[in-house]
Amino acid sequence: MEIETVEPYSAVMDSFLRQCGGYAVIDGGLATELETHGANLNDPLWSAKCLIGSPHLIRRVHLDYLEAGANIIICASYQATLQGFESKGLSREEGENLLRRSVEIAREARDLYYDRAAKGSWDNIGDKDGITPRRRPVLVAASVGSYGAYLADGSEYSGIYGENVSLETLKDFHRRRVQVLADSGADLIAFETIPNKMEAKAYAELLEEEDINIPAWFSFNSKDGTNVVCGDPIADCALIAHSCEQVIGVGINCTPPRYIHSLIQSIRRVTTKPILIYPNSGETYDADRKEWLPSTGVSDVDFVSHVGKWCDAGASLVGGCCRTTPDTIRAISKALSSRSNVVSPTEF
């Protein structure tokens, strides 16, 4: 089929990828590393809980991923909703300030990374495993999780919200958060773990209705390699992303690595937009117990062994999601650097 190219927002990602040498590295699991550093995330706010009590840990994890080679760091706003903050007794103003703070923390980490690079204080920064120390382009992505993430009942992994949740319900739920994050200083908005076509449509309509003036990406999750988790075909969902001017990338996150290749192929058939993939470790999440089942995933070596195949299939941005670590991202960065044709970095 002939695919129409959508401008002008697409030029933003095209320019960024050129600066990265054709391929970019997305960071890895935020909550995974927060827990490694001692955070207790057994809370409906999940990683967003740290915005209230331990923002320094978020900054530390962002910096860990930058040091591992990430070109894009995703803010701790995935489960940060105004409704969720209000349930904790915070005012609407306090909730909005926490959303803005999620972006500020990521920007602070980027500034710190650049400052250390300028001073030559590399220590563990960038020169491990063949990654060349240099001032590379880094974007800050404000995360928007699904309605199911706010419910914290596992429905983000099923996409089944019930008959009472309509397109307008979802638009009303997300509207103010998207407005705040769009004006927060982020470089783009990452709509993540989208479990159904209806929510993708809600996001696309919000971007247009609210005249959101920063780019976005849409990232879906799947459990069979053909459909998103609710059963909607991934190609139908990708078409929604392709038709939205502000969307500059479309892809898959929080999905086992074994399903990624076929999903890339399905997406590539319906869009010319850059494809991004950041799978989880392949472990199984128990939504009832709210924990990952041990020994059900793949090692970093096995995970990274797929990177070349994914890029050959059409992926341009690669990272990790739940249960991946800076070691995973460092290995991905090394794998992508062998494919890259890096040009002189631009100041970001």
Side-chain angles (χ1 to χ4, degrees):
M1 64 179 291
E2 184 176 347
I3 303 170
E4 180 183 357
T5 301
V6 181
E7 297 281 355
Y9 285 91
S10 60
V12 175
M13 182 60 81
D14 291 343
S15 175
F16 173 67
L17 287 173
R18 282 196 301 271
Q19 294 294 331
C20 292
Y23 299 94
V25 183
I26 303 171
D27 65 7
L30 175 63
T32 302
E33 286 303 290
L34 288 172
E35 290 177 327
T36 297
H37 291 308
N40 179 359
L41 303 184
N42 185 16
D43 189 277
L45 290 177
W46 198 40
S47 56
K49 175 185 176 184
C50 291
L51 291 170
I52 300 171
S54 46
H56 64 286
L57 291 183
I58 300 173
R59 188 183 306 105
R60 178 176 176 180
V61 173
H62 286 324
L63 190 57
D64 286 346
Y65 280 119
L66 289 171
E67 292 174 352
N71 297 110
I72 300 175
I73 50 175
I74 302 175
C75 303
S77 52
Y78 176 81
Q79 214 142 316
T81 65
L82 297 176
Q83 298 87 341
F85 288 136
E86 286 173 354
S87 72
K88 294 289 186 180
L90 299 175
S91 68
R92 176 58 62 100
E93 181 180 4
E94 289 171 326
E96 291 184 3
N97 286 337
L98 286 171
L99 286 173
R100 296 184 186 97
R101 185 67 183 129
S102 72
V103 175
E104 289 173 359
I105 293 168
R107 288 168 59 92
E108 288 166 3
R110 178 173 62 184
D111 290 345
L112 180 58
Y113 172 78
Y114 281 158
D115 184 58
R116 290 186 181 181
K119 293 178 179 177
S121 304
W122 291 103
D123 296 328
N124 295 321
I125 299 179
D127 58 352
K128 295 180 68 174
D129 300 325
I131 303 170
T132 304
R134 60 184 176 84
R135 183 185 173 92
R136 63 177 184 275
V138 173
L139 299 182
V140 169
S143 172
V144 173
S146 69
Y147 179 67
Y150 156 70
L151 297 177
D153 61 359
S155 58
E156 65 192 296
Y157 301 110
S158 72
I160 307 301
Y161 294 157
E163 296 180 357
N164 293 328
V165 176
S166 67
L167 180 68
E168 293 303 318
T169 302
L170 295 176
K171 287 163 65 175
D172 289 343
F173 174 81
H174 289 295
R175 190 179 307 274
R176 183 55 186 159
R177 173 165 61 153
V178 171
Q179 291 172 334
V180 171
L181 290 173
D183 293 332
S184 65
D187 298 301
L188 62 95
I189 300 176
F191 293 94
E192 304 187 274
T193 325
I194 307 172
N196 56 50
K197 186 167 63 174
M198 181 171 65
E199 196 148 21
K201 187 176 181 181
Y203 292 145
E205 291 188 8
L206 274 180
L207 289 173
E208 181 177 352
E209 291 172 5
E210 300 302 323
D211 196 24
I212 300 302
N213 60 3
I214 67 170
W217 79 44
F218 283 10
S219 183
F220 301 88
N221 58 335
S222 173
K223 54 187 177 185
D224 63 9
T226 302
N227 307 299
V228 298
V229 291
C230 80
D232 294 331
I234 183 62
D236 291 353
C237 296
L239 271 173
I240 294 173
H242 177 76
S243 300
C244 182
E245 182 183 7
Q246 289 98 325
V247 174
I248 59 173
V250 56
I252 301 293
N253 75 291
C254 212
T255 295
R258 64 183 178 274
Y259 297 135
I260 297 300
H261 186 262
S262 63
L263 291 165
I264 295 172
Q265 292 177 317
S266 295
I267 294 170
R268 176 51 68 220
R269 293 188 188 104
V270 299
T271 186
T272 56
K273 293 185 177 184
I275 295 176
L276 51 105
I277 51 124
Y278 46 120
N280 59 34
S281 66
E283 294 171 74
T284 301
Y285 182 73
D286 187 324
D288 294 327
R289 296 166 59 184
K290 299 188 185 306
E291 62 183 31
W292 292 88
L293 302 181
S295 304
T296 55
V298 298
S299 67
D300 284 344
V301 172
D302 291 335
F303 186 105
V304 174
S305 69
H306 297 292
V307 169
K309 180 179 172 183
W310 294 337
C311 292
D312 289 341
S316 300
L317 302 96
V318 183
C321 199
C322 296
R323 310 292 283 180
T324 62
T325 70
D327 286 340
T328 317
I329 301 311
R330 184 172 289 108
I332 291 172
S333 184
K334 181 181 178 182
L336 291 181
S337 67
S338 67
R339 304 176 66 97
S340 296
N341 180 23
V342 179
V343 297
S344 298
T346 296
E347 298 290 316
F348 277 80

